[in-house]
Amino acid sequence: MATVAVYNMKGEQTGSMDVSDDIFGIPVNEHAVHMAVVQYLANQRQGTKGTKTRAEVRGGGRKPWRQKGTGRARQGSTRSPQWTGGGVVFAPKARDYSIKLNKKQKRLALKSALSAKLKDNKLIVVDSLTFPEVKTKEMVKVCQNLKTDNALVVLDSVDRNVILSARNIPGLKTAGVNTINVYDILKHDTFVVTKEAVAQMQEVYA
């Protein structure tokens, strides 16, 4: 088991804790991480765009002018793609962009991302993270104490004061143990997690 330092909100080390090698100490599987990121980004796409081809545009049934003798280029329909109001060539259609990954691959990617953070010394464990009221200024102060300005903060429970205090800070995002994903872990420079959340993660992802 690896041992990580535990800090308080003032940035002072208050102790240490052991973390499971099965979650924070596995070899990084880059392919699994890549597929997890591709899946996340693909699943964000709405896929609701749609335009009409020349077969679907209304009108254009009659030939605009006779084939020969007018001095103009031959035309068969006013709904051809070259006409204003005509159909679109290879028109994009609504579709589902989502990608499916099996549970084992998802879990492997998540563990790989967490292990990479620990390996790079970008994992910060705090003993607790609570505020008596919503104060963005207090959250900024905590980030300064922990020496991070781009972090994913993982909470062990839904704390409205912490979530709202962090909401307007650029580069900062809060998440729960069950809502973290590989993309967010990699996107943020530092992974800040409460001590209780680490214990929950070791139970959920073991």
Side-chain angles (χ1 to χ4, degrees):
M1 278 193 171
T3 302
V4 295
V6 178
Y7 299 89
N8 59 19
M9 292 196 297
K10 294 180 180 179
E12 302 165 344
Q13 184 173 344
T14 58
S16 61
M17 73 176 296
D18 294 330
V19 293
S20 173
D21 287 338
D22 292 335
I23 299 174
F24 295 95
I26 70 168
V28 177
N29 189 311
E30 293 184 5
H31 176 69
V33 171
H34 169 74
M35 289 306 300
V37 172
V38 169
Q39 186 211 24
Y40 177 85
L41 294 176
N43 291 355
Q44 302 306 302
R45 299 182 69 176
Q46 286 184 315
T48 53
K49 63 183 179 181
T51 54
K52 294 180 179 181
T53 64
R54 62 180 296 169
E56 298 166 321
V57 178
R58 186 170 180 270
R62 185 173 69 89
K63 188 174 174 67
W65 52 76
R66 61 196 177 97
Q67 181 81 346
K68 292 179 179 291
T70 63
R72 290 180 289 185
R74 55 195 177 191
Q75 300 291 337
S77 170
T78 57
R79 292 299 174 257
S80 297
Q82 71 269 24
W83 282 70
T84 300
V88 177
V89 182
F90 306 127
K93 295 297 180 182
R95 53 168 287 195
D96 182 11
Y97 288 95
S98 63
I99 299 173
K100 291 184 178 179
L101 290 182
N102 61 51
K103 289 181 181 178
K104 283 186 178 180
Q105 194 170 17
K106 280 184 181 179
R107 188 158 292 189
L108 176 61
L110 187 62
K111 290 179 178 180
S112 294
L114 293 173
S115 297
K117 286 298 180 186
L118 179 60
K119 184 179 178 182
D120 295 339
N121 294 319
K122 297 296 184 179
L123 177 70
I124 300 175
V125 180
V126 292
D127 50 12
S128 65
L129 190 59
T130 56
F131 297 133
E133 58 180 338
V134 178
K135 278 287 183 183
T136 302
K137 193 181 296 183
E138 293 299 319
M139 193 67 197
V140 170
K141 193 180 295 182
V142 170
C143 292
Q144 290 173 347
N145 293 337
L146 297 175
K147 297 178 181 177
T148 179
D149 57 0
N150 185 294
L152 176 65
V153 180
V154 181
L155 307 172
D156 50 90
S157 60
V158 178
D159 191 319
R160 182 177 178 274
N161 289 349
V162 175
I163 294 171
L164 294 181
S165 296
R167 184 171 61 178
N168 288 336
I169 303 175
L172 202 66
K173 183 176 181 178
T174 56
V177 173
N178 293 322
T179 61
I180 57 175
N181 60 74
V182 174
Y183 179 79
D184 281 338
I185 294 173
L186 297 181
K187 182 181 178 182
H188 294 87
D189 183 55
T190 312
F191 187 77
V192 178
V193 58
T194 64
K195 190 175 180 180
E196 184 61 34
V198 172
Q200 290 181 17
M201 290 166 64
Q202 293 184 147
E203 289 181 10
V204 174
Y205 302 119

